[in-house]
Amino acid sequence: TLNIAGDRYGSLTTSVRLNGHIAAPDVDTDGEQYVAEVTIPLVADSGLWLQEGFTARGEAEVNNPSDVPLHVGVTWSKASQLKLPSGWPVTLPEAGQRVTMSLDPRTGYTVRDAMGNKLPELTSQVVKTVVPEPVPPGSSRTYTARGDAALVWQIPTLDPWI
């Protein structure tokens, strides 16, 4: 995860991976103890930077001021229910521990534990009722998390330098 901080958006993160080899830095042969420049080739596959996260319980209006769709997530441990903006109910089964799922269809609605491990049994139960309902760019939508569930989301940003 690459993190940057600035005045306009605050802290932003993006997931990156190495995209080539890291060249050896210059050697300080004179013993001046300078800091050498090192180029690390990285690629962010999503192309998005994410602002600091929000969490809400109950009914929550999720605003998306960005230029790309915003997909919320949900976290829960006890059997709960999530109501999407269309009114569609999503059943969240008993998990026995705090788990998280993104409503971004690119994730396959994979349920993960606190360490990020996939939980196939829970995922197979949740995918029976979940449907994608992102918040369109420049819009807001209302989601309702009932029981033990909480909504989680981050506003996506295409270019943190603008």
Side-chain angles (χ1 to χ4, degrees):
T1 301
L2 185 60
N3 299 297
I4 60 171
D7 294 335
R8 181 170 182 169
Y9 296 115
S11 295
L12 295 121
T13 62
T14 189
S15 294
V16 296
R17 63 180 169 82
L18 192 60
N19 189 29
H21 74 281
I22 302 172
D26 294 332
V27 176
D28 183 9
T29 56
D30 296 331
E32 297 175 11
Q33 298 181 344
Y34 66 88
V35 177
E37 283 189 24
V38 176
T39 300
I40 302 174
L42 301 173
V43 63
D45 292 321
S46 74
L48 298 173
W49 291 87
L50 299 173
Q51 294 181 27
E52 295 180 55
F54 294 91
T55 301
R57 293 184 182 273
E59 186 173 287
E61 185 173 345
V62 179
N63 296 306
N64 181 8
S66 78
D67 294 328
V68 295
L70 184 157
H71 297 276
V72 301
V74 62
T75 180
W76 77 97
S77 60
K78 298 176 184 171
S80 300
Q81 193 168 56
L82 176 65
K83 186 171 89 173
L84 301 179
S86 66
W88 184 266
V90 176
T91 302
L92 304 171
E94 179 74 29
Q97 62 180 313
R98 202 80 191 157
V99 296
T100 305
M101 176 188 65
S102 171
L103 295 179
D104 185 340
R106 294 174 294 181
T107 66
Y109 310 115
T110 302
V111 178
R112 296 179 182 272
D113 66 15
M115 300 299 293
N117 299 311
K118 296 177 183 180
L119 301 171
E121 303 82 24
L122 287 174
T123 300
S124 67
Q125 292 176 51
V126 173
V127 297
K128 294 175 184 176
T129 61
V130 71
V131 295
E133 285 195 35
V135 180
S139 299
S140 64
R141 296 290 185 270
T142 301
Y143 295 81
T144 305
R146 294 191 177 115
D148 183 54
L151 292 162
V152 292
W153 71 94
Q154 293 176 280
I155 297 172
T157 302
L158 288 170
D159 188 346
W161 314 116
I162 294 178

